[in-house]
Amino acid sequence: MSTTVRTPETHDCRVAFADELIALAERDERIVAVCNDSVGSSNLVAFRDRFPDRLINVGIAEQDMVGVGAGLALSGYVPFVCGAAPFLTGRALEQIKADVAYGQAPVVLCGMSPGLAYGELGPTHHSIEDLSWLRAVAGLGVVVPADPEQTREAVRWAASAATPVFLRVGRFRVPSVTPPGTRFEFGVAQELRPGDDVSIVAIGSTVSRALSAAELLAVRGIQARVINMATVAPLDEECVRRAAGQTRGIVTVEEATITGGLGAAVGEVNLRQARPVPMRMLGSRREFAPTGDTAYLLEHFGLTAGHIAAAAAELA
Amino acid sequence: MLVADPTGAAAWRRFREELAAADRPGRARLLSVRADRLRANDIRMINRAGLGHVGGDMSVLDILTTLVFGVLAIDPERPDLPDRDRLVLSKGHSAGALYATLAAAGFFAEAELDTFAQPLSALNGHPNRVKVPGVETNTGPLGHGLPVAVGMAVAGVLAGSARRVFVVLGDGELQEGSNWEAAMTAGHRKLGNLTAIVDRNRLQQGARTEDTVTLEPLADKWAAFGWNVIELDGHDHLALYEALGTRYPLPTCVIARTVKGKGISFMEDRVEWHHKVPSGEQVATALHELEEQQV
């Protein structure tokens, strides 16, 4: 007798990102890509081959890259400024704040391979602070798609949004979680699973894990509501208020530091309720990661279905 | 967002016509008188507000005047024209000089200058494109203008437009590495539609540039990055007008030798006038000196 283990198909969201960008660029001449030598790692090879003049590679120069993006946006173009998330957001933070957000330059900042995606390359290459520092910047949308379908939708939205936005494009392979035909709505969370005992609010790579956690909890008779909070800023506050009002606790899960990111955002809304509910915030905690691949580090920081289920069970 | 002042714009248009028709000495005279009037407006504005960067404003005003009143293909009443020339003031702390210039050109009413730095004024201590027509990008932190200007120049090439991009840089801010990232990009792409003007007054906030971090040989640096370099007297209106009015096949850096506090005897080349505020008595002396110069 043999046992069949079924593993869901997983995807690198950069593929959907690049496919959609090329499809949009075919129809809209205003769309250009700007990158910091990251033609390969931002998956822009096909874009470059199709539109050689519309890929502006400034070399290894992130401050210049974001400034150039702002200049293009202020001249009527729709620049997708692509670089590895740690360098794009860390190196060019002041350009993101002053040139893009304060100047209201409608640049689409594409943070590639975010979170712990670069695993063994270490904390210099991890982007776990991006959500914290970008959420503090006024006027900047922060969007973290959960799978290829949502990445595609978010790219399509961003191309016509005419507003400064940061798009976190995942490299770590994830299964599909978005129900077919679901549109991306900026600032609106998606409730992927109903439940009235406890709420799990997840983003990006952690959404599929939250769904798996809900299945583990269901076996124990706990009904967990699973929310994909793809827009971290501005936050869907009404969704958080419902979770606080209708369930007994909220677990947030992010492939990022919890000092200022999704958990903090949800917590700020929860604390303003007349009766805030207890919370658990899962993510890294002001700790540089040890050596290990991404899967190992997600386990290390307690971001597996088992960890999420255990945290939720404490609140249910 | 402030709105255009049709009277000011009409006066600006008449000035442009007069300038185009004038002979070379006449042209220099027109720009010189105009620049000194802007100096006076700026000094009054800084005194009223109790803040500003008067030294750098005085050093950059001949450059700004020559661009806005002589060179740029713009229309103050239509500040969003897609094919307008772009002016980026990277040294955003000279906002006072920019506001005085834009107001005189009719981008907004000169009466607005009275609100400089007051609560809720559109005229912040550093320029905001969302509120002030004629401001092309928000500046203030140093080393931001050149990368944005490079993006604007790339956009001009992509669009097949003849428009030009001018960016005014402080010399001290060239210590920011982002400038040299952008200089490399512009040199590599041979952006002939881009002109950077360095307000080379040789002073930064705390001391002389060369006593802080050496910038020289500055012309060699730009040339090494693939730029065409022109050195001139940044208070010689005719030299500015002719150098800036010319199109070049390569990105061009105009190193404009200037004097911080130019035109006011007690401010000239003195580091403390970076952001010191002149008293009422000092304003009177300054205005008197500016008038004397034009007699």
Side-chain angles (χ1 to χ4, degrees):
Chain A
M1 203 173 131
S2 67
T3 306
T4 308
V5 178
R6 281 173 48 207
T7 312
E9 196 184 340
T10 59
H11 313 273
D12 176 340
C13 290
R14 293 176 303 167
V15 177
F17 165 82
D19 287 352
E20 190 59 33
L21 190 62
I22 290 169
L24 289 166
E26 294 283 1
R27 301 194 293 273
D28 187 346
E29 287 191 349
R30 299 173 309 149
I31 291 176
V32 295
V34 185
C35 73
N36 56 342
D37 191 36
S38 62
V39 181
S41 60
S42 292
N43 202 27
L44 290 170
V45 173
F47 185 98
R48 180 193 59 194
D49 292 347
R50 179 70 187 85
F51 309 106
D53 296 339
R54 288 157 69 183
L55 174 71
I56 295 110
N57 183 352
V58 301
I60 306 164
E62 289 74 26
Q63 299 180 70
D64 186 33
M65 171 174 71
V66 174
V68 166
L72 283 158
L74 294 174
S75 304
Y77 285 89
V78 179
F80 281 70
V81 173
C82 306
F87 315 130
L88 167 66
T89 68
R91 199 71 173 250
L93 186 56
E94 191 180 76
Q95 278 74 16
I96 292 174
K97 169 190 160 186
D99 307 354
V100 176
Y102 181 45
Q104 293 181 19
V107 175
V108 185
L109 300 158
C110 306
M112 315 303 289
S113 310
L116 300 161
Y118 278 122
E120 308 89 323
L121 297 188
T124 55
H125 283 56
H126 297 160
S127 189
I128 57 173
E129 302 87 357
D130 53 355
L131 301 180
S132 305
W133 54 43
L134 294 183
R135 201 171 72 82
V137 176
L140 181 70
V142 178
V143 174
V144 187
D147 65 2
E149 290 74 15
Q150 195 168 42
T151 301
R152 201 176 282 279
E153 283 285 325
V155 168
R156 201 175 300 155
W157 167 80
S160 57
T163 190
V165 63
F166 173 71
L167 204 59
R168 207 184 199 226
V169 182
R171 174 198 195 99
F172 182 68
R173 299 182 73 86
V174 289
S176 289
V177 293
T178 302
T182 311
R183 297 298 302 244
F184 171 76
E185 283 185 80
F186 181 60
V188 180
Q190 289 174 0
E191 189 181 306
L192 295 178
R193 182 182 171 116
D196 288 333
D197 292 329
V198 64
S199 298
I200 305 172
V201 182
I203 50 169
S205 61
T206 66
V207 175
S208 63
R209 290 155 181 252
L211 286 167
S212 301
E215 286 179 23
L216 296 175
L217 289 163
V219 172
R220 297 166 61 179
I222 298 169
Q223 300 307 318
R225 177 180 302 188
V226 177
I227 294 158
N228 175 7
M229 191 64 79
T231 311
V232 176
L235 196 74
D236 185 342
E237 298 196 2
E238 184 50 40
C239 171
V240 177
R241 280 194 286 272
R242 279 196 305 271
Q246 297 168 357
T247 68
R248 288 191 289 278
I250 301 173
V251 179
T252 60
V253 202
E254 57 199 304
E255 191 184 326
T257 172
I258 60 167
T259 51
L262 173 73
V266 170
E268 286 165 15
V269 177
N270 180 36
L271 280 173
R272 287 203 300 271
Q273 304 310 297
R275 290 184 190 77
V277 292
M279 286 183 66
R280 296 285 183 275
M281 297 180 191
L282 305 185
S284 82
R285 294 167 179 270
R286 284 176 58 81
E287 178 195 345
F288 290 120
T291 304
D293 65 16
T294 307
Y296 172 81
L297 293 177
L298 290 173
E299 172 129 23
H300 172 83
F301 286 118
L303 300 172
T304 65
H307 286 104
I308 298 167
E314 288 176 24
L315 305 179
Chain B
M1 180 66 118
L2 298 176
V3 295
D5 168 34
T7 312
W12 171 85
R13 218 166 271 122
R14 282 196 302 278
F15 183 96
R16 291 289 294 245
E17 285 164 10
E18 207 180 331
L19 190 76
D23 59 8
R24 295 180 81 236
R27 205 169 268 168
R29 171 88 186 143
L30 280 168
L31 287 168
S32 168
V33 170
R34 169 54 58 184
D36 277 353
R37 204 176 299 164
L38 298 183
R39 282 190 169 85
N41 289 349
D42 188 24
I43 287 170
R44 278 193 289 256
M45 193 167 85
I46 287 170
N47 170 259
R48 211 182 293 119
L51 64 85
H53 289 82
V54 69
D57 285 9
M58 296 303 111
S59 73
V60 81
L61 260 168
D62 295 311
I63 296 164
L64 292 181
T65 302
T66 305
L67 283 168
V68 172
F69 282 83
V71 175
L72 297 180
I74 47 171
D75 181 347
E77 291 185 281
R78 296 163 77 196
D80 294 330
L81 278 178
D83 281 327
R84 69 189 182 279
D85 286 348
R86 271 36 174 207
L87 167 60
V88 171
L89 179 69
S90 188
K91 44 173 288 186
H93 54 284
S94 280
L98 182 63
Y99 297 154
T101 309
L102 293 175
F107 278 92
F108 54 90
E110 282 199 296
E112 283 293 334
L113 297 178
D114 291 344
T115 73
F116 175 51
Q118 298 306 305
L120 302 182
S121 171
L123 305 180
N124 192 272
H126 294 93
N128 183 346
R129 62 169 288 271
V130 179
K131 295 182 177 171
V132 187
V135 173
E136 297 284 3
T137 183
N138 294 17
T139 51
L142 297 172
H144 282 241
L146 188 55
V148 175
V150 168
M152 290 173 172
V154 171
V157 172
L158 283 174
S161 167
R163 67 184 180 240
R164 302 177 65 192
V165 181
F166 296 86
V167 52
V168 179
L169 305 161
D171 52 359
E173 76 167 314
L174 295 179
Q175 291 159 359
E176 294 279 9
S178 49
N179 290 304
W180 302 102
E181 293 183 0
M184 270 193 277
T185 305
H188 176 78
R189 302 181 81 88
K190 298 186 167 46
L191 296 173
N193 56 353
L194 176 66
T195 301
I197 303 121
V198 178
D199 179 9
R200 184 72 174 110
N201 61 36
R202 308 185 79 91
L203 290 176
Q204 53 193 101
Q205 181 175 336
R208 300 199 166 269
T209 57
E210 303 311 286
D211 292 340
T212 308
V213 166
T214 309
L215 294 177
E216 296 297 337
L218 191 55
D220 291 352
K221 285 190 170 74
W222 287 94
F225 279 72
W227 288 56
N228 174 41
V229 184
I230 296 169
E231 294 184 80
L232 47 70
D233 175 351
H235 303 302
D236 180 338
H237 300 90
L238 212 49
L240 283 167
Y241 180 80
E242 290 171 359
L244 299 176
T246 306
R247 289 175 183 269
Y248 304 93
L250 291 175
T252 293
C253 177
V254 174
I255 299 178
R257 291 185 300 269
T258 55
V259 176
K260 207 159 177 175
K262 173 70 179 176
I264 322 295
S265 60
F266 56 89
M267 291 184 190
E268 283 194 357
D269 202 34
R270 298 184 69 96
V271 72
E272 65 268 29
W273 281 100
H274 176 75
H275 56 198
K276 192 169 154 181
V277 178
S279 66
E281 198 178 322
Q282 286 169 323
V283 170
T285 308
L287 298 186
H288 180 70
E289 287 185 11
L290 289 170
E291 270 175 37
E292 292 280 296
Q293 283 169 42
Q294 294 299 344
V295 173

